[in-house]
Structure formats: C-alpha cells, structure tokens
Amino acid sequence: MSILARKRRRDFLRRSGQYLAVTATVAVGVTLFAASFDAFQNLSASYEHTYDRLAFADLTIAGGDTDTIESAVTADAGVAATHTRSVIDVPLTFDNAQLFGRLVGMPTSGQPPVNQVDVLEGRYLEPGDGETAAMVVRQTAEHFDLAPGDTVDVSVAAGTVRLDIVGVVTSPEYLWLARSRQEIFTTADGFSVLFVAEELAAAAGPTVEDQVVARYRDASRTEEIDARLTAAARSGGSSDVEIRDDQPSNAALREDLDALGKMSFLFPMLFLGAAGMAAFILLSRIVSAERAQIGTMRANGIGARAILRHYLGYGITVGVVGAGLGILVGAGIGAAITSIYTDALGIPDTVRRFYVLTAVIGLVFGVVMGALAAWAPARRAMAVAPAEAMRGEIPRQTSSVSLVERLVPPLRRLPARWRMTLRGLGRSKRRSVSTVLGVVLAIVLILASWGMVDTVADSIDRQFNQIQANDAQLVPDEPLDQDLLDRVAAIDGVASVEPAATLAVTIAGADAYATQLTAYRPDTTMRDFGGEPLPNDGIVAGAAIVDLIGASVGEPVRLTVPAYDVEVTTELAGVVDEPFGTSAYVSIDHAAELLAQHDLGIELLAVPGVGLVLVDYEQGVDRDQMRLELGAQHGVGAFVDSRAVFDVVQGFLGLFYALVGVMVVFGGLMAFALMFNTTAINIAERSGELATLRANGLTSREAAQMVSAENLILTLIGIPFGLALGTMAADGLMSSFNSDLFSFELAIRPSSYVSVTLAILLIAGLALWPGLRAMRRLDIAEVTRERS
Amino acid sequence: MTLADPTHVRDTAITTSHLSKTFGEGDTAVLALRDVSLAIPKGEFVVMLGPSGSGKTTLLNQIGAIETPTSGSLRVGDLELAGLDDAARTHFRRHQVGFVFQFYNLVPTLTARENVQLIAELGDDHDAADRSEQALAAVGLADRLDRFPGQLSGGEQQRVAIARALVKSPPVLLCDEPTGSLDLETGRSVLELLRSTVAEDDRTTFVVTHNSTIAQMADRVLRLRDGEVVDEAMNEHPLAPAELDW
C-alpha cells in the first residue's frame, strides 16, 4: 500500500464517525435503489413468467361477429394462438353466501391455447364432468375454505344449477380479483370466478359475452399487432377490444409495479444528493485543515495530479464502499419484498435474481457521487501553493454584519453571542447551504411519502364515505320489481332503498373507451355527483373518460351496448371526479328514453345481471345481520357489502403504506447523517476560538447553545422550502399515477405538515447531540497547545 | 538569584506545593511537571522560559485551571484548584483569569468590539458594551472598534485578544507565547501593554516564551527543564519592553 493510501486509510479511522455518516447515506440511497429496482424487475419477471406459462391473452375482443373476428385474428401472421369462449356474470351462492360471480367457458378436452389456469388443488375439467363441474379461483376458495368436493349454486337462465367444485385454480386474468377496470377493488365474498364447461357458460343467460382471445408470437411487435387486430375487431362489429395492458388484473398489478419503478430512481437520487453534499463539505474541511501538509508534500516533489488523485480517492472510496453495502443489502431486501408481494397477492411464480445491471448502476451512482463531491476539494488541494501552506497562513476571511442584521438593524444590539450565532450562518456559506439543502431534501422525501399516504387515505374516504353512499348492493336473480324493493325497505335497519341498473358499454367521442354505465334515479341519494343532480338529457362521465375519448361537456357521444347490440347518441352533460374507477352515469328516465330509440323497453333495465338494488343502512346496525337478512330475501341472487370493499382497498394499500413508512425512516436517517456531519465540521473549524472562549470562562453549555442555535436557525430556514417542495413532489408523484383506474387529487392534512416539521426539528436536535458531546469534552489545553 | 521559599507566607497570589502532572499511562506516561513548588506574590510579572517540552505551558494551564494536577496542591489566593470540578474551574476562569494565546483565536465574524463584548457579557453584562470600548481604548484600538479580525493586522488582533482577556479585570493574566506570531516592533508594543496592566491593576501576569530576551523585562524568571523549575531568579532592574531586542 502506498504511503498516501495508508494516510487515507488512517484518516478514515480518525474521522470514522463523519465518514461513516456519509457512507451510510450513500448506502441507504443505493439500498433503496437496489431494493426497489430489483423488486420491480423480480415482480415484472414473476408476472411475465406466470403469463407465459399460462398463455395469458395479449388481446381480448368481445361482441361483434365472433366467427368473422376469429378468422381475421387467426389469419394474422403476428398471432400464435386464438381461442373463443363465453363469459357471463351471474349470481352465485357458496354455503349460503350470495355473491356476484363470473362464469368463464373452458374446453373440457384440455386446457385452451390461450388463458390457461394453474390447478392448485384437485383437477382440471374433464369430458365426463358434463355441465356440472366447476373450477373456482384461489381467492374464493381461501375465503370460503372451499376444496374439491364442495358445491356452488349458480343462477342461470334456466334456473339454479348446483355445480361440483373439482379444482381450485389460479388464472392469469384474475391474479388480482377485479371485476372490471371500473371495479378494481372487490371483496372475495362479493365477486368470484368459476371456470366451467363452455356449453354451460354459453347457455347461462342473455347477457353472455362471446370473446375472442389471442396470443402473439413476438412481444416486441405488440403495438403493431394490437392496432391491426383492433381494426379487424371494429370491422367485425366489436367495440370492446381490450389489450393486455388494459386487462383489469394486469392493470392493477402494473399500477403498483409502476409506483415501485418510479420510486426506485426518484427517492435514491435524493439520498445520493444529500450524501454528495455531506461528502463535499467534509472533504472541503479536510483539505482546508491539511493545507500545510499538502504544501509540504508538494514542496517535497509530490505532483499536483497525485494530490488530486489522493483527495479524489476519499470521495470515490466512500462512494464505492457505500454503494457496495447498498447493493448487497438492497439485493436482500429486494428479494424479500418480492416474496412478500407474491405471497400476499398469491402470484404463483416468484422470480428472484441477482441483476448485474442493478449492481452496475448502483456502483456507478456511488462512484459518480463520490467523484463529483470530491472534485472541487481535490482541485483546491491540487492548487495549494507550497510556500503559502508551509508558512501556515490561512487565507484571510472577510466578514461582515449578517444580512438579517442589515435588514433589521435593532438586531445589532443583541448580546454578542447572538450576533455570533447569526453571523455564523454566513461564515461558511457552503456548509450552511448544505445544511439547509439537507433539511429540504429530507422533508421532500418524508413529505412526498407522507403526502401520498394522506392523499390515498383522503381518496378512499371520498370514494367510500362521500361519493358512494350506499352500504350494500343486491343483485336480483329475477327481473327486479317493486315487490322486492318494498320487502327490502321493510327490513329493520334499512334506511332507504333505490333501484339501479348497470350495463357494459363503449363510449365514443373521437376515441372509444369500454366502461360501465350505471343508471340511478334522478333524485338518487345513493351517489354524489359533485353536488349536482343527474341530468335528464345526457350522461355524466368520469373525468378520465372525457380525456380518453376526446370529448367535451355539451358534445354528443355514442354509446354502444353490446348486450343489446344497440348504439345510441346522447350528450355528455357533465363530468365527475372520482378517485377509483372511471364509469359513466345516467338517470333511469334518460336510459329508458335511449332504449326506446331502438324500441327497447325500460324492463331491460331490470333483467338479472343488469338490475340492482341499492340499500342504505341506518346508523349502528349489525352489518353481518343485515347481510343475512337481505341475502335471504327471495329474488336476491348476490349481495355486495360496500364497506367490505373499503377494507379490501385498505388491504391493497398495506404494502404501499409499509414502503412509505420505510421512506419516512430513511428520510430521517438522511437528515440526521447530514446534520451530524455539518455540526461536527462546524465545531472542528472553530475549535481554536471555542477553546479560547472556554479558557476565558465560557461554559461548555453556553458554547453548545451557540452552535445549536446556528443549526436550529438553518433547520428553520430549510423547513418552509422543504414543505413547499415536498408538496410539489407529492403532487407530481400522485399525478403520475393518474389513469382511468385511479384519479388522485393531492390532499395533505395540515397535521402532516406539523408532524413533519416536528420530526425534522427532533432529528436536528438528535443530530446535534454527538457534536455537542464532543464539544463538552473539548480538551482546551490540547487545542490551544496545538494552535501554539 | 535565590529560589523563593515555597513555605514563605506574604501577600501571595499563587502557591504551588509539590505540583505534578502526568499525561498518559504505563509505558506512554509522560511526566510533564515534577514536584513544582512556587510562591508568586500578587502583582508580579513572571516570565517562564524553557525549551519545547519543558513543562512551561503545562504549568501555565495548571494555574489557569485548564488542566488538573495529577498530584500536589495549587492555590490561587485562598482557592485550592486541585480537585475542583469542571463547572467550578470554568467559574474560576470566568472571574479570575484572562488568557492570551499566540494565535489570537478571535471570532472572525465578530468585530473587535464584539469579540471583547462576548467575554464581558459573561460576567456582569449590563455595561458590557461600555467596558468593551474602554478595554479596547486601553490597548490603543479606540479607532478600530468596528473592524473585523480580517481587517486588522496581527498586532492589532493580539491587542484585541488582550483587551478581551482584560475586560473582566481578572486578577491573573496568563499569556502563552503572546509575541510568537509578531515582528519585533509589534511584539514590543504588546509586551508594553502587558507590562502596563501589571502596574496599573496590580495584576499577576505570567508569560510563557522561548525567547530569553523577553525575560529581561520580568520581575521574576522561572526556567523549566524536563518538568522541573531548575532556576528561579528575580530581576532587580527589569528592562522596559522598548529596550528589548531580539
């Protein structure tokens, strides 16, 4: 080892606390990056592995002339496999629990070429099963503790059919159990999926949907093939074309994954920026303190470039060590996050790899940060004139009255120690700016994370407590009539009852979008449409739809209803802002008018699968009891508890909250490391004058108060900037997640600002502690002896 | 020249009795002071001479209660310093001692006036501003009150340091190489200043130096070597600082 390298090693040991703080900040930043990027890659790979293994469809086409469409799709050179099937939503009953379910038609001769299932328990359908067997999705089986041999009752057109459960399966279409893009969040006791013989699904009811599903040969040409097949589907009369990215389960999983992907670069950059600042300040101080040594080395023949390399080496060493630690720890955490995620969501395949790319990027981050931070101090070291340094002359500092004293002249009459504190802020501008920036970065990290939590909580509250006012939804298995409404209204605990209807539609302006159209009474109390009543001569749509179809309020839009094979034109009469899902709404009266254009009667809004009963409870009722009583009513095929969906949403966000919690802790650590370093350097730079003041009677407490006050003022300066930038960062982050699935409006609680402020002040106080302890232990004699 | 009798009782400011100070332990232990016994009367100008490592700064630091003795006794007036805790020693320094060091160690962000006021406020602060101005005037810097250290010469900075040490009127002034960074003329003027405070305020002043020429202006000269006082002499006719030449 060269002498200079040995010097560097011993310097690291001598100032181990400070170097450790900087290295730890680098390590945390790279850990965050490696963990989230690895988890992102692992989860993407896990999903893709499952999708490949189970031949997940790249495209799903519903409605239109199925035969024509299938021929066109099969003939396309980019398509590897095609399959047609029937899908229908019907009421199901598991062990007295009534819920809404989906029947998906499957061939009994073997797995289909597209959209296969993973049999977890029991077996796949067999020809000998006839139309009496079903495979149930894992989520339902877990919730109701079902196993092969149990039964399920299904309400079809011909009446109620009892099916034997022969298998418990996972499907790539329902890794996340979502009914539609408008109903991403469903409860396991509110929605289920059964895979049944194709013949059973095809004959289950009038609202059955014929689908063509396709898998492509070459994933790299997906967009091109999507466009071709979409055109073919439209030519065949279909208006409902769903690419894989839009498939509800995949879309929900991808949203989550995208969040991880975004955070894997954004937040680590904050850490590395803070670490860079801390390293820069530390190395600047070291070069200043070692001027005499540098001059001596130069005078004795060590070249300027060697000096440059020596001091660059400090930064690069910190960067490499920190990055190395971060890569190792991050890889472990990333693998753990992957496992936790796939376990929690029941993803059948878990891919965990060591990604060389992650390690390389992490190392590059560390080296670049270290080199950038060390560059200016190293250049200064290189430029030290040997003669100047050996004379021990320190460049004269020009001082002046502080800016705040110039702005507020009466401050010049403060006691001298307060003026010393105020002017200490400008004494080393680099260090002061670094402290303020460290506070700002920490607050941005903490508040951006905390703001996301507040916003999501607010969105959930708005969606489930303000917008959606009904407590339960009943799905009739017979045509909805007044008798059912009256019976439900008469039950103790029911405050109000309304009829509603929901249809799958495609809305088109310049572009088309497949969604749900729900009809309410014009004076409905079951949903809030921005404080306005439903219009009588048009529809109201979610804000995201309006953007997607390129329409404006007052313009005509086309509605295609595949179930009745009709298209009508109406006006886009209004826009609503809803956090979850993007649907359209219409009054029952106007819906009847639209149907009448095609000689269709209002009774179509009451058929099973379309008609709904919305129920609002009285305060304080036993929800489980209400479920039993309402579900037991004749004519009720399924029961959906709106409150249970709220709980599912909270569960979905559990991992998100955990990740945010980690960000908050790491943000605090970053602030601590930065402030610890700047305090230590502050004290080291002034050891001579502090020792002299102590020799002349200043107590260690008084000296500590001066240094603490400086840090506190810098922290207070950083706080408003941090809060403002943190708010902007939170807004930017939440906006980046907006899609037709989610629409978030930033809503940070005032108490969160207070909490973040108090947290930073606490961290600032804790970060001062080691430095102040060192100051209390200042050896006055040794310091003054050294100076002499 | 005679050695002062350590048991002789007069109007003494500082008395040490078998004072020793050891740094480190075991094989690395260094005996910086060995069995030093002194009796220094009030109002004397004492110069401590000796080569590097002789223990002169250590002895100065003992008297100033910056360091604690390993053994022996050290009294300043009626106060026994050995055994005092940190708070008591700080209190002692605040009211009884003024320090002047070779490298001034002024606070660069405070003006001359404010550097002195910082110490003046430690005691009675209601007239700290006035006392600071008077202290600076006494050292010939009445027209430099609002200059920052970076705007002052080395000699002027040392004068500010002296004013800072004297603003609280300490009975004892301790100076460690006060002219070490100054040229001859400036050094003489600083020594002149120090000498005058002894005369005007009956202040016991200790000056540590390598420079044996400075010893000619002292009332008493202590020579140290290897932690011991090897010689103690009185100058019957101390020279004025202006007469010194080094």
Side-chain angles (χ1 to χ4, degrees), chain B residues 7 30 56 63 141 156 164 167 173 176 182 205 220 232:
Chain B
T7 63
V30 172
K56 53 188 189 299
I63 296 169
L141 292 177
E156 288 170 338
R164 178 177 63 184
V167 72
L173 182 66
D176 194 351
L182 306 173
T205 302
R220 185 186 299 260
E232 183 176 355

Side-chain angles (χ1 to χ4, degrees), chain B residues 9 17 37 168 172 218:
Chain B
V9 175
S17 176
S37 297
K168 52 188 174 174
V172 178

Side-chain angles (χ1 to χ4, degrees), chain A residues 94 134 141 144-152 162-166:
Chain A
F94 293 98
F144 291 107
D145 197 22
L146 298 171
D150 290 328
T151 60
V152 53
R162 177 154 292 181
L163 302 179
D164 297 314
I165 295 173
V166 299

